[in-house]
Amino acid sequence: VHVVTDEQGTFHPKVLLAAKGKERRAILGSSNFTAGGFSQNTELNVLLDGTASDAAFRELERVILVYWERSEPISRDVLDV
């Protein structure tokens, strides 16, 4: 798990990306991946289903890589904030 530190706001996207061979599936949305996020709160999530060659998945994987390169592993300091 990595975290992106952003001095100008909160980095808050929720993305779950699954890959099996060329198949791709992703959930993108506002809810935290918790019981409350999926049962008590009013949230919006979208399920994408397709292949690695689909433009949406190519862009999603590119954006995740950009953020991964800007991020740092979670540390005790981050958790204590």
Side-chain angles (χ1 to χ4, degrees), residues 60-75:
L60 183 57
E61 290 176 5
R62 185 195 70 75
V63 168
I64 289 171
L65 180 60
V66 167
Y67 280 115
W68 184 262
E69 290 172 349
R70 287 183 45 202
S71 68
E72 301 174 3
I74 275 194
S75 66

Side-chain angles (χ1 to χ4, degrees), residues 1-3 72-81:
V1 174
H2 278 210
V3 65
E72 301 174 3
I74 275 194
S75 66
R76 174 54 57 192
D77 294 338
V78 169
L79 294 174
D80 289 341
V81 171

Side-chain angles (χ1 to χ4, degrees), residues 27-62:
I27 299 173
L28 299 96
S30 63
S31 63
N32 292 325
F33 296 125
T34 63
F38 285 114
S39 63
Q40 297 170 355
N41 302 340
T42 301
E43 306 283 358
L44 177 64
N45 295 288
V46 175
L47 172 66
L48 299 179
D49 201 8
T51 67
S53 63
D54 292 337
F57 285 104
R58 288 195 322 264
E59 179 64 7
L60 183 57
E61 290 176 5
R62 185 195 70 75

Side-chain angles (χ1 to χ4, degrees), residues 2-24:
H2 278 210
V3 65
V4 174
T5 304
D6 188 344
E7 301 292 326
Q8 298 177 353
T10 302
F11 182 79
H12 209 246
K14 281 66 166 213
V15 178
L16 179 63
L17 176 62
K20 180 180 180 183
K22 293 183 184 248
E23 296 176 35
R24 296 292 185 271

